[in-house]
Amino acid sequence: MNLITVSETESTNSLIATMPDAPHGTVVRAVAQTAGRGQRGNSWESETGKNLTLSILVRPSHVKATEQFLICRAVSVALVEMLDKVLPDGLRAEIKWPNDIYVGDRKICGILIENSLTGNVIDRSILGIGLNVNQREFKSDAPNPVSIVNLNGGRELELEPLIEMMWEAVDRNLSLCATESGRAVLTEKYDSRLWRGEGFHTFALPDGTRFKAAIRSIADNGVMTLEEQDGTRRSFAFKEVQFVL
Ligand code: BTN
């Protein structure tokens, strides 16, 4: 890992994208982001110096453009495994499809993956990670944020050791993408840590229609298949359906 820390930037994903020759394992961390970006065009709130806002550049040579969801699986699994080591006993982080990290019904970590493709190959992948660590209160309209300090009795954590743990977990899980057996392990780990992975829950379509369904599978391309109570199965790509909190 090659760690670059900047005191302030708009977005670490944008900054690392200006470093085209950065090697695999470059990590850009900002103490403050002035325009942190989230999924669906949202912004990402993080109080200066309190949390981890960083981007990891990886060059996953064994992942084709059509297999991009593998990276999403690997990073999501890496984050929950890393959190296993720092959350208090009895608390477990889970993966809200496709790649939010939740503890209970609250979001502790957001991931924004931006890939550059050359033909059918992923030239580089920027893994933007916002992990809430020491921030006690959140001001934005994000519905349900939480940080480690809210869950561990108020004990603040040092940030630097967490970066090392994060890189170790990301690198280890990305390596699994190199073989079929590794990919199978990754899929099993991802599926076993899915938030609301058991039982029926309420979902909403973009037009507001709500329905109850259970998650049946997450395919290799990231498509989620849901089963309604009458047995009807429907499949959705990211943004085509939302969990109702
Ligand atoms: C989400 O909406 O859940 C994704 C949030 C991703 C936030 C991180 S913070 C570091 C990196 N830089 C950004 O601008 N966004 C990501």
Side-chain angles (χ1 to χ4, degrees):
M1 177 182 73
N2 166 33
L3 176 64
I4 301 165
T5 299
V6 296
S7 52
E8 184 178 292
T9 190
E10 286 188 0
S11 151
T12 56
N13 268 34
S14 307
L15 182 58
I16 207 168
T18 66
M19 305 174 180
D21 300 326
H24 175 84
T26 300
V27 179
V28 172
R29 177 207 162 199
V31 177
Q33 280 192 137
T34 53
R37 294 189 281 116
Q39 292 163 22
R40 303 170 189 263
N42 291 327
S43 58
W44 183 255
E45 174 187 353
S46 181
E47 198 179 322
T48 300
K50 293 287 185 185
N51 302 314
L52 284 180
T53 47
L54 57 79
S55 300
I56 305 178
L57 189 143
V58 291
R59 299 186 183 278
S61 48
H62 32 259
V63 180
K64 295 197 196 96
T66 49
E67 299 169 337
Q68 291 180 51
F69 186 66
L70 269 178
I71 298 174
C72 178
R73 272 194 185 129
V75 180
S76 306
V77 168
L79 265 304
V80 293
E81 290 186 349
M82 178 222 158
L83 284 167
D84 283 344
K85 298 188 178 149
V86 298
L87 287 175
D89 286 350
L91 286 184
R92 206 173 132 83
E94 293 179 307
I95 303 163
K96 176 169 169 275
W97 174 85
N99 62 358
D100 283 338
I101 308 298
Y102 269 48
V103 178
D105 282 345
R106 299 169 80 188
K107 178 163 167 174
I108 197 162
C109 178
I111 302 170
L112 182 66
I113 300 176
E114 296 179 310
N115 295 323
S116 327
L117 311 178
T118 307
N120 186 29
V121 172
I122 299 180
D123 172 44
R124 61 165 197 211
S125 183
I126 294 172
L127 317 176
I129 300 170
L131 174 63
N132 299 331
V133 182
N134 293 324
Q135 180 166 348
R136 288 165 199 266
E137 284 172 26
F138 292 83
K139 297 179 180 64
S140 72
D141 53 5
N144 53 353
V146 71
S147 59
I148 297 173
V149 77
N150 298 140
L151 299 170
N152 73 359
R155 189 173 55 87
E156 294 208 354
L157 297 188
E158 265 188 77
L159 297 176
E160 281 72 14
L162 298 180
I163 302 174
E164 193 61 55
M165 288 168 71
M166 202 182 267
W167 165 248
E168 184 279 321
V170 166
D171 193 36
R172 180 165 39 79
N173 281 287
L174 273 179
S175 304
L176 291 174
C177 302
T179 62
E180 279 310 315
S181 58
R183 290 178 180 205
V185 170
L186 200 52
T187 302
E188 198 186 311
K189 291 204 277 185
Y190 180 92
D191 290 351
S192 74
R193 297 298 292 257
L194 272 179
W195 183 76
R196 297 193 177 170
E198 304 277 325
F200 285 83
H201 300 278
T202 307
F203 293 83
L205 299 177
D207 68 5
T209 313
R210 292 184 171 202
F211 61 100
K212 280 209 158 160
I215 299 177
R216 287 296 174 240
S217 65
I218 312 290
D220 287 344
N221 60 3
V223 167
M224 175 169 68
T225 298
L226 300 180
E227 184 173 324
E228 294 180 66
Q229 276 155 322
D230 66 0
T232 312
R233 287 192 176 211
R234 289 200 270 173
S235 297
F236 298 92
F238 179 48
K239 292 186 183 162
E240 290 177 354
V241 72
Q242 276 194 0
F243 290 90
V244 175
L245 287 170

